[in-house]
Amino acid sequence: MKNEALYNYLLRLGDDSLILGQRLAEWCGHGPILEEDIAMTNISLDLIGQAMNIFDYAAEIEGNGSDHDKIAMLRYEHQYVNTLLVEQPNKDFAFTMVRQFIFDAFRKPLYELMQNSKDKQLSAIAEKSLKETKYHLKHSSEWVIRMGDGTEESHNRAQKAVDDLWRYADELFFQDDVEKSLIENGILPKYDEVKQAWQQTVEAVMNEATLQIPTNGWTFGGGRIGRHSEHMGFILAELQYMQRAYPNMQW
Amino acid sequence: MPMQKNEQKEEWQFKHYFHQSNRNIMSNQEWPLWEVFIRSKQGLNHKHVGSLRAADATMALENARDVYTRRSEGISIWVVESNLVHASDPTEADMFFEPSDSKIYRHPTFYEVPDGVKHM
């Protein structure tokens, strides 16, 4: 395949959006209040829409009659290359919002810098997604601050979420030959710049939220190369059910 | 913190009215109601579209954005706490509104418009 590195990267980028979108969709009808229920499903749809644009581009590179539905719905578990962070279960609202915040704080600078990509289509995807992502980050960081700097219970739940999720943050900055070659060719931004911006946002918000960032240095990874946690199979069972049961169905 | 319900309410209201950014809202107290006004792309004025619950003005604006503008309904949002809206008393509707029903002369419909006038 021509442009194989870009294709592989697009799957990594798109799978993060798709799987987190699917996770957020699980809140539909279960949100703590009606307004938040709608907010979370709006964000879910934004992410799935982003995945659609990204997979459209991947399908174009792949050729052979591929399309975004085939890429999203018909791969096996080890072919999904999302980070472990986005597949973690929703648990409580604090857990969902902290997961979202860690992710949004990464996605915003990534898209901002990706707008300068030498690849015009990737730059256009970044520009379009950035507007949505800015709002997602505003929403999730306000909730992290509200809960962290809230009551004893909300603080404890938010802190527990930070303690449990922090080990998955590092994988967002995963790099192998795929990313490295794209960074070299000016198609992806330099990851240390993305990480610096991420770090600033995370530290500022955690500080305001009176939450402690764990210092044990534990990191988990594997999702980027198709090795997932036990949760992934259940997500795909739900996500893929209709396409597997009724192949090529549309609605 | 353990508090009597009334005390909690008082503390809540105090913060609610006198602090711009009230974060200490993670309590069992029900969040206040807000009225939402949206200005559409073509519209000149904000129109009342409904209400919602939120802990503070920031959250109210975001909730309004999520609930009332997801189909591109607007380009500007106002939120006003419902308890700051003073409404006319429905039991006084006859005194308030009916007297004007019989005063059709208040409408400018009794003027003869000269033939040469355009744009009326």
Side-chain angles (χ1 to χ4, degrees):
Chain A
M1 193 190 313
K2 211 184 137 202
N3 245 337
E4 194 165 351
L6 182 57
Y7 175 80
N8 287 327
Y9 176 73
L10 288 170
L11 293 189
R12 288 174 176 172
L13 184 69
D15 282 348
D16 274 0
S17 305
L18 176 72
I19 300 301
L20 188 57
Q22 178 74 11
R23 271 296 187 218
L24 286 175
E26 291 170 18
W27 274 104
C28 186
H30 302 277
I33 51 165
L34 178 137
E35 291 84 353
E36 198 51 43
D37 196 291
I38 297 176
M40 280 191 286
T41 40
N42 278 351
I43 294 170
S44 164
L45 287 174
D46 283 351
L47 288 169
I48 291 169
Q50 290 178 15
M52 206 161 99
N53 292 332
I54 295 162
F55 290 156
D56 276 337
Y57 188 22
E60 195 184 310
I61 294 170
E62 191 182 3
N64 292 329
S66 180
D67 62 43
H68 59 234
D69 284 334
K70 282 190 185 134
I71 294 176
M73 302 289 174
L74 296 178
R75 281 176 292 154
Y76 296 105
E77 182 181 324
H78 68 276
Q79 295 170 314
Y80 284 82
V81 282
N82 53 279
T83 55
L84 298 183
L85 175 73
V86 297
E87 70 195 47
Q88 295 308 303
N90 289 337
K91 296 192 181 170
D92 58 14
F93 183 65
F95 198 89
T96 298
M97 276 303 130
V98 170
R99 183 186 64 198
Q100 191 67 34
F101 168 66
I102 293 172
F103 181 79
D104 294 338
F106 161 74
R107 266 296 167 90
K108 181 176 164 261
L110 178 72
Y111 281 144
E112 266 167 357
L113 294 165
M114 202 188 271
Q115 290 181 110
N116 306 322
S117 172
K118 283 189 181 155
D119 186 284
K120 290 288 162 257
Q121 205 155 336
L122 195 60
S123 143
I125 289 172
E127 195 188 335
K128 184 167 187 283
S129 309
L130 179 61
K131 289 188 193 104
E132 295 170 344
T133 303
K134 277 182 181 168
Y135 184 79
H136 301 169
L137 177 61
K138 179 174 156 63
H139 178 259
S140 59
S141 38
E142 277 167 15
W143 269 114
V144 168
I145 292 167
R146 219 174 253 139
M147 288 189 283
D149 192 19
T151 62
E152 199 181 335
E153 183 178 1
S154 71
H155 175 86
N156 289 343
R157 282 177 186 249
Q159 185 62 57
K160 173 89 172 63
V162 174
D163 292 345
D164 288 355
L165 285 165
W166 193 253
R167 66 196 72 175
Y168 299 109
D170 197 55
E171 200 188 6
L172 293 168
F173 303 96
F174 174 88
Q175 286 180 57
D176 64 9
D177 293 345
V178 170
E179 282 84 358
K180 280 176 190 152
S181 72
L182 294 172
I183 292 168
E184 231 165 70
N185 293 319
I187 292 171
L188 280 187
K190 293 200 179 72
Y191 268 29
D192 38 351
E193 287 175 31
V194 180
K195 189 159 188 175
Q196 208 182 352
W198 175 81
Q199 196 110 31
Q200 273 175 9
T201 310
V202 166
E203 279 168 12
V205 169
M206 293 288 181
N207 191 32
E208 204 174 341
T210 70
L211 294 168
Q212 300 297 320
I213 295 174
T215 51
N216 55 34
W218 291 345
T219 60
F220 280 5
R224 280 285 188 251
I225 51 168
R227 281 208 296 268
H228 293 281
S229 61
E230 68 273 25
H231 309 296
M232 189 65 182
F234 294 97
I235 299 176
L236 294 182
E238 198 163 74
L239 177 76
Q240 297 187 339
Y241 173 79
M242 293 300 271
Q243 275 303 323
R244 297 286 188 197
Y246 306 96
N248 303 320
M249 63 100 57
Q250 291 198 332
W251 56 287
Chain B
M1 61 190 97
M3 251 192 285
Q4 293 297 314
K5 209 161 186 181
N6 285 341
E7 282 178 45
Q8 204 174 3
K9 190 169 184 180
E10 268 173 28
E11 190 206 46
W12 157 253
Q13 286 178 338
F14 174 80
K15 285 191 170 166
H16 187 60
Y17 286 120
F18 297 101
H19 287 256
Q20 275 291 307
S21 84
N22 169 31
R23 288 177 188 153
N24 196 6
I25 46 106
M26 307 307 297
S27 66
N28 295 327
Q29 197 68 44
E30 189 158 29
W31 294 341
L33 197 64
W34 300 72
E35 300 303 321
V36 181
F37 301 81
I38 306 274
R39 183 151 77 90
S40 69
K41 284 194 185 79
Q42 300 85 4
L44 295 173
N45 49 355
H46 288 71
K47 275 194 180 154
H48 184 242
V49 293
S51 55
L52 50 77
R53 289 197 181 274
D56 54 35
T58 309
M59 199 200 280
L61 280 169
E62 286 176 26
N63 287 349
R65 180 260 190 198
D66 286 326
V67 177
Y68 292 108
T69 67
R70 52 202 298 275
R71 298 181 187 88
S72 297
E73 288 93 335
I75 49 164
S76 170
I77 303 174
W78 288 351
V79 289
V80 180
E81 266 176 77
S82 306
N83 62 5
L84 296 180
V85 174
H86 298 268
S88 60
D89 182 351
T91 62
E92 291 179 343
D94 48 354
M95 171 183 93
F96 254 58
F97 305 113
E98 269 175 38
S100 65
D101 286 352
S102 58
K103 296 173 176 73
I104 50 169
Y105 50 82
R106 288 178 182 170
H107 293 277
T109 51
F110 295 92
Y111 298 96
E112 297 252 338
V113 182
D115 291 340
V117 175
K118 291 170 188 165
H119 308 303
M120 277 292 278

